[in-house]
């Protein structure tokens, strides 16, 4: 690398398909430099990231998968997928957050639709780095971009248990997320969960481990073994984002969870969709056949609550029942009373 190149901020784009680099060169708003066949293309200078972002949007999915990038300021010169490099650029605060940031869960009620009583609380992660507040989706996206799923999942679950169990109202269940991608084996999954529970002297039956998007875990044997191992320790198991897709239904049959959560996308405005009502009714029947109680996520309006209740859904979660708060809030049982 020349001294002039090192002084610039930008990326060198690489691909085993020269046609992709030729297309990138054509799409770039300013000419890219480099030997396409050997060294790839150099995209540098002010606004290089915005130029790269617009280029990537113009590529097909298969072309994006073939486009890699090396950050000029990266002394190790390690190529990564171009989209991943952009995500890391947007979240360059994340390594510092893992080292010095604070995770603090907020708790959202999960309510019985027939009585209005709180069945439990889901620990939804928030973060703080200095004066900056970070939401759970931002943290997870950053962890994915920096290949730090294990560290993030472990720290998030630790915070959820350590903060949530002492605050949990009597008789309620604490829902704690578990990302199967963060577990190399069953033992590592157990080691990052149960020592904390034992140290706090908590009742394992009041813990529900919510498997987040388990369909992204390619090792189904490992997925099944993890669920069984945690269940043997006394925990309940929940399946996140149940939908009508074959992968989601396969996970329902494989895990046989105690709780199955209906995807938020099915809840929003369900009172206006005959097709979605029929789908949710079928999902509820399927989940009940497998011994699972069903939660409707993302309930924000009274008509969504009423429709889900009519379809046989057992539990509800969403802004209609209460927002996530740093301490579990009281639930108003009048929210589920029939209108006069």
């Amino acid at each position: 690398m020349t001294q002039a190149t090192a002084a610039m901020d930008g990326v060198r784009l690489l691909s085993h398909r020269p046609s992709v680099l030729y297309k990138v060169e054509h799409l770039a708003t300013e000419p890219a430099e480099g030997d396409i066949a050997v060294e790839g293309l150099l995209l540098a200078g002010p606004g290089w990231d915005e130029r790269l972002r617009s280029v990537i949007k113009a590529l097909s999915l298969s072309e994006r998968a073939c486009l890699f990038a090396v950050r000029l300021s990266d002394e190790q010169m390690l190529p990564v997928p171009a989209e991943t490099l952009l995500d890391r650029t947007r979240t360059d605060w994340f390594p510092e957050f893992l080292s010095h940031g604070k995770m603090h869960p907020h708790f959202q009620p999960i309510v019985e639709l027939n009585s209005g009583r709180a069945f439990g609380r889901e620990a939804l992660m928030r973060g703080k780095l200095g004066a900056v507040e970070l939401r759970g989706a931002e943290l997870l996206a950053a962890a994915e971009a920096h290949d730090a799923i294990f560290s993030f999942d472990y720290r998030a679950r630790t915070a959820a248990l350590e903060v949530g169990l002492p605050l949990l109202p009597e008789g309620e269940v604490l829902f704690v997320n578990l990302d199967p991608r963060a577990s190399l084996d069953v033992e590592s999954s157990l080691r990052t969960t149960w020592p904390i529970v034992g140290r706090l002297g908590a009742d394992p039956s009041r813990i529900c481990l919510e498997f987040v998007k388990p369909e992204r875990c390619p090792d189904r044997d490992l997925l099944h073994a993890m669920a069984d191992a945690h269940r043997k320790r006394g925990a309940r198991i929940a399946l996140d984002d149940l939908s009508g897709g074959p992968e989601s239904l396969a996970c329902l049959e494989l895990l046989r969870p105690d709780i199955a959560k209906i995807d938020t996308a099915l809840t929003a405005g369900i009172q206006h969709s005959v097709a979605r009502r029929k789908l949710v009714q079928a999902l509820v029947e399927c989940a009940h056949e497998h011994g699972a109680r069903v939660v409707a996520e993302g309930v924000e309006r009274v008509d969504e609550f009423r429709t889900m209740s009519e379809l046989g859904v057992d539990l509800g979660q969403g802004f209609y029942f209460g927002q996530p708060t740093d301490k579990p809030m009281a639930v108003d049982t009048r929210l589920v009373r029939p209108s006069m």
Side-chain angles (χ1 to χ4, degrees):
M1 184 186 299
T2 66
Q3 185 175 359
T5 301
M8 289 189 294
D9 193 14
V11 292
R12 187 172 295 281
L13 301 175
L14 307 167
S15 179
H16 63 275
R17 289 173 55 183
S19 60
V20 173
L21 294 182
Y22 279 113
K23 186 172 182 179
V24 169
E25 185 181 37
H26 175 72
L27 290 169
T29 54
E30 297 178 16
E33 301 174 357
D35 185 334
I36 289 177
V38 180
E39 297 182 356
L41 291 174
L42 183 65
L43 195 63
W48 68 265
D49 51 338
E50 291 299 329
R51 292 163 59 198
L52 179 56
R53 187 173 293 111
S54 64
V55 165
I56 288 176
K57 287 182 179 180
L59 298 177
S60 68
L61 291 178
S62 62
E63 289 169 333
R64 294 180 192 181
C66 297
L67 185 63
F68 290 80
V70 177
R71 187 75 179 266
L72 297 182
S73 58
D74 183 357
E75 295 180 356
Q76 294 181 311
M77 297 291 289
L78 298 175
V80 296
E83 286 187 293
T84 298
L85 188 141
L86 274 180
D87 290 337
R88 289 183 181 179
T89 301
R90 286 195 295 264
T91 58
D92 56 4
W93 48 264
F94 187 73
E96 183 182 356
F97 172 79
L98 278 183
S99 299
H100 306 292
K102 180 181 178 182
M103 290 193 184
H104 54 95
H106 283 202
F107 304 95
Q108 187 170 37
I110 297 174
V111 174
E112 295 177 344
L113 297 190
N114 61 351
S115 68
R117 292 193 300 267
F119 173 80
R121 313 278 166 159
E122 181 179 357
L124 299 170
M125 204 49 54
R126 301 290 186 267
K128 191 169 185 179
L129 181 59
V132 179
E133 297 280 349
L134 300 159
R135 299 183 68 82
E138 294 177 273
L139 293 170
L140 179 57
E144 291 174 337
H146 290 265
D147 293 328
I149 292 293
F150 177 85
S151 297
F152 172 74
D153 183 72
Y154 169 60
R155 286 194 56 191
R157 190 157 60 257
T158 297
L161 292 168
E162 289 183 340
V163 177
L165 286 173
L167 293 175
L168 189 66
E170 187 67 29
E172 293 187 19
V173 176
L174 180 66
F175 285 67
V176 179
N177 288 338
L178 186 154
D179 193 329
R181 297 175 301 168
S183 300
L184 298 176
D185 51 38
V186 173
E187 286 303 315
S188 67
S189 179
L190 296 175
R191 284 196 305 271
T192 54
T193 305
W194 292 103
I196 304 165
V197 178
R199 174 161 46 83
L200 295 173
D203 180 357
S205 67
R206 299 183 67 197
I207 298 168
C208 184
L209 293 174
E210 186 170 329
F211 280 55
V212 180
K213 297 189 183 299
E215 64 273 11
R216 296 184 297 190
C217 178
D219 190 340
R220 295 301 169 84
D221 291 337
L222 173 61
L223 196 62
H224 184 265
M226 277 198 298
D228 277 355
H230 286 290
R231 189 177 273 123
K232 287 177 181 177
R233 295 291 184 104
R236 308 184 199 206
I237 301 298
L239 175 64
D240 187 36
D241 292 340
L242 180 64
S243 64
E247 293 295 319
S248 179
L249 292 176
C251 288
L252 176 66
E253 294 182 345
L254 176 71
L255 299 179
R256 293 190 172 270
D258 303 280
I259 306 289
K261 288 190 164 186
I262 297 289
D263 194 308
T264 300
L266 295 177
T267 300
I270 190 172
Q271 68 273 20
H272 304 303
S273 173
V274 175
R276 274 191 285 142
R277 291 200 297 272
K278 290 181 178 178
L279 175 57
V280 167
Q281 187 171 33
L283 289 174
V284 169
E285 292 176 1
C286 184
H288 285 171
E289 286 177 2
H290 286 86
R293 299 181 74 181
V294 179
V295 179
E297 291 189 292
V299 178
E300 297 188 356
R301 298 172 177 82
V302 64
D303 288 341
E304 293 169 349
F305 148 66
R306 289 173 179 163
T307 301
M308 286 298 190
S309 183
E310 291 168 359
L311 294 174
V313 173
D314 307 287
L315 307 160
Q317 179 179 358
F319 288 174
Y320 178 71
F321 303 108
Q323 297 189 25
T325 52
D326 58 354
K327 294 182 180 179
M329 61 176 286
V331 175
D332 189 347
T333 59
R334 293 175 297 180
L335 290 170
V336 304
R337 291 178 185 174
S339 58
M340 302 301 292

